[in-house]
Amino acid sequence: GDAPIPDFAFSTICLGDTTEFTDGSTAQNSTIIFWTWDFGDGNSSTATNPSHYYDSVGVYNVSLSVTTDSGCTDSVIIPVSTNPLPQADFGPILGCSNSQLTFDDQSTISSGSISNWTWMIESDTILGSVVDHVFQDTGVYPVTLISFSDYMCSDTVTKSITIRKGPLADFVLSRDCGNTTVGFSDDS
């Protein structure tokens, strides 16, 4: 018989996710009956379409060896990357009612870049690394940020934002007639 042509596909991998491997091997005039996977981290499988969990970021040389019912064998090695998760973070956590509060992304990632941000503030969903919001009333409000890497790996953080009563600037003008001094009194 002819040698099989091994091939496989896999899902994009973020640290903490299970990777799904899909066999794409073909054989002419025979049937593939054995699959041997080496995931490049000391683990292996004989399933046709296995799943595997990588416990650290890195590039793993995954090998698939297939054997046909006529005893022919061939293998392929494809590098598979496990990508880091961002660490979502933002500030500030204090603000005043009826004043614009600017939330600034402070997320980090060990390699790659952060490319998308989704904020959930009150009933609004806002996109961008820096967003503005006005809280009308005092209180404690949950604000959520989801940071996405360039590989669409994500992390979520929710912080309680304390909104205090904003200052009210006010003054009184006392005016005399003629060439007298004008006085201002702070009523804030």
Side-chain angles (χ1 to χ4, degrees):
D2 294 333
I5 302 170
D7 193 20
F8 64 90
F10 56 92
S11 57
T12 301
I13 309 165
C14 298
L15 184 62
D17 291 345
T18 298
T19 305
E20 305 294 332
F21 291 92
T22 305
D23 175 50
S25 303
T26 58
Q28 294 274 331
N29 304 317
S30 59
T31 303
I32 297 173
I33 58 170
F34 294 116
W35 294 260
T36 304
W37 297 82
D38 179 337
F39 297 116
D41 64 352
N43 293 293
S44 61
S45 173
T46 56
T48 305
N49 298 304
S51 299
H52 184 66
Y53 176 83
Y54 289 98
D55 61 8
S56 61
V57 171
V59 177
Y60 300 90
N61 288 319
V62 176
S63 169
L64 170 61
S65 178
V66 292
T67 303
T68 65
D69 55 0
S70 61
C72 296
T73 300
D74 202 355
S75 61
V76 65
I77 297 173
I78 298 176
V80 173
S81 295
T82 303
N83 300 296
L85 299 174
Q87 296 296 108
D89 195 15
F90 67 89
I93 58 170
L94 292 172
C96 295
S97 62
N98 296 310
S99 295
Q100 180 173 292
L101 184 58
T102 299
F103 291 103
D104 191 16
D105 171 58
Q106 298 170 355
S107 302
T108 58
I109 192 164
S110 62
S111 66
S113 63
I114 298 173
S115 58
N116 291 293
W117 305 263
T118 301
W119 300 81
M120 286 162 275
I121 305 171
E122 293 188 290
S123 61
D124 297 332
T125 299
I126 308 165
L127 305 177
S129 61
V130 177
V131 298
D132 297 322
H133 188 77
V134 176
F135 294 93
Q136 300 300 319
D137 298 312
T138 60
V140 178
Y141 296 87
V143 172
T144 299
L145 168 63
I146 307 170
S147 297
F148 295 90
S149 74
D150 45 357
Y151 290 100
M152 295 311 290
C153 301
S154 66
D155 186 40
T156 302
V157 63
T158 300
K159 292 184 178 183
S160 295
I161 308 304
T162 301
I163 303 299
R164 297 185 175 139
K165 184 171 178 58
L168 178 62
D170 195 12
F171 66 91
V172 174
L173 167 66
S174 58
R175 180 176 247 187
D176 270 340
C177 295
N179 290 333
T180 61
T181 305
V182 176
F184 291 91
S185 299
D186 182 4
D187 282 355
S188 298

